[in-house]
């Protein structure tokens, strides 16, 4: 092994360890909340010594912020379809697809975010007042432009966004309820496809979306 490959190997190990820690922290914070979670529980679930955990994240609050910011960054990436779309049919359809996939693959992260907000955002209020507000304002302007161009009915953009968030994140935050009503089984691939199509049909019809 050459000197040039050693740093890359260390970076790979660090990346994998951080990924394992964040996944474990998502689950522990989702199940126990910020107050009930401990660094030892997270280290055990990640399969790492507690000392290693503190090497990557010095405090529980730092790790918690990383978990919530991580799920929010994933949501931000899903919203890129808004910027590139010619109209609401393309943009909102792609956004619903992306958000539903996130709810399917990152349910614990969504639950942590929901719990934080329901408790008044004691740790992340600053993040909501800056990053979240800026992101929301940007999407509001895009929706207003679609309305002005006659591509959809005049609806309040913020309430439309709230509806999209509530609907798609329901499949993560209330996943247990959905599984219970599905005979105690997780939704199948077919059921996830049907859920996406139904949500898109209801939303796009409700806002009178028209081809670009």
């Amino acid at each position: 092994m050459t000197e040039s490959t050693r740093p890359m190997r260390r970076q790979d190990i660090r990346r994998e360890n951080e990924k394992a820690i964040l996944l474990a922290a998502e689950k522990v914070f989702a199940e126990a909340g910020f107050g009930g979670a401990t660094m030892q529980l997270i280290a055990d679930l990640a399969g790492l010594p507690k000392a290693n955990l503190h090497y990557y994240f010095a405090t529980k609050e730092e790790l918690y912020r990383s978990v919530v910011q991580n799920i929010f960054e994933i949501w931000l990436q899903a919203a890129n379809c808004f910027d590139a779309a010619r109209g609401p049919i393309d943009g909102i359809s792609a956004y619903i697809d992306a958000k539903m996939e996130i709810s399917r693959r990152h349910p614990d992260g969504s639950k942590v975010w929901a719990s934080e907000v329901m408790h008044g955002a004691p740790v992340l209020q600053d993040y909501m007042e800056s990053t979240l507000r800026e992101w929301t304002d940007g999407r509001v302007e895009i929706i207003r432009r679609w309305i002005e161009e006659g591509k959809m009915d005049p609806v309040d953009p913020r309430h439309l966004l709230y509806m999209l968030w509530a609907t798609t994140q329901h499949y993560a935050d209330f996943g247990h309820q959905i599984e219970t009503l599905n005979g105690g089984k997780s939704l199948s691939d077919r059921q996830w496809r049907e859920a996406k199509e139904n949500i898109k049909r209801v939303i796009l019809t409700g806002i009178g979306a028209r081809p670009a």
Side-chain angles (χ1 to χ4, degrees):
M1 182 181 292
T2 65
E3 286 296 326
S4 62
T5 62
R6 286 197 184 96
M8 182 59 68
R9 175 174 170 75
R10 287 196 295 269
Q11 290 174 5
D12 291 341
I13 293 172
R14 180 184 182 90
R15 191 177 301 114
E16 288 303 310
N17 283 345
E18 288 181 344
K19 181 179 178 181
I21 291 169
L22 286 173
L23 286 173
E26 275 187 5
K27 186 171 183 61
V28 173
F29 284 130
E31 294 178 353
F34 180 78
T38 67
M39 295 293 267
Q40 185 64 63
L41 279 172
I42 296 169
D44 291 343
L45 187 59
L48 294 170
K50 185 179 177 182
N52 282 30
L53 189 65
H54 282 289
Y55 172 76
Y56 292 103
F57 300 95
T59 66
K60 184 171 72 169
E61 180 172 318
E62 180 185 340
L63 178 52
Y64 179 81
R65 289 183 69 92
S66 295
V67 166
V68 181
Q69 288 173 358
N70 182 60
I71 189 64
F72 187 69
E73 289 299 324
I74 293 173
W75 284 335
L76 286 182
Q77 292 172 16
N80 288 339
C81 53
F82 265 95
D83 302 326
R86 294 186 301 165
I89 292 179
D90 294 337
I92 293 177
S93 292
Y95 185 55
I96 290 171
D97 283 337
K99 287 287 270 82
M100 288 290 283
E101 278 303 303
I102 294 169
S103 287
R104 184 180 188 182
R105 303 183 187 283
H106 298 275
D108 290 327
S110 181
K111 291 172 187 173
V112 174
W113 176 273
S115 177
E116 168 72 10
V117 175
M118 286 190 293
H119 286 86
V123 177
L124 291 165
Q125 183 64 26
D126 61 327
Y127 196 74
M128 294 182 67
E129 290 178 352
S130 54
T131 307
L132 178 59
R133 180 175 293 169
E134 180 181 346
W135 180 92
T136 302
D137 289 344
R139 305 294 83 67
V140 164
E141 289 306 310
I142 291 173
I143 295 170
R144 283 177 176 161
R145 187 179 74 240
W146 289 341
I147 293 171
E148 292 170 357
E149 293 172 349
K151 296 174 181 176
M152 58 179 282
D153 293 342
V155 300
D156 187 301
R158 294 184 186 277
H159 291 300
L160 175 57
L161 287 172
Y162 301 157
M163 188 180 300
L164 289 169
W165 299 342
T167 303
T168 55
Q169 287 162 228
H170 175 90
Y171 286 82
D173 302 341
F174 291 87
H176 178 71
Q177 176 174 278
I178 290 173
E179 288 185 10
T180 299
L181 297 176
N182 193 44
K185 298 179 294 184
S186 299
L187 296 183
S188 65
D189 291 344
R190 176 184 60 79
Q191 287 174 313
W192 276 102
R193 288 194 299 271
E194 290 176 348
K196 292 177 188 177
E197 292 307 312
N198 275 279
I199 293 169
K200 285 186 282 188
R201 186 180 306 114
V202 170
I203 295 292
L204 293 175
T205 301
I207 64 174
R210 294 175 282 279

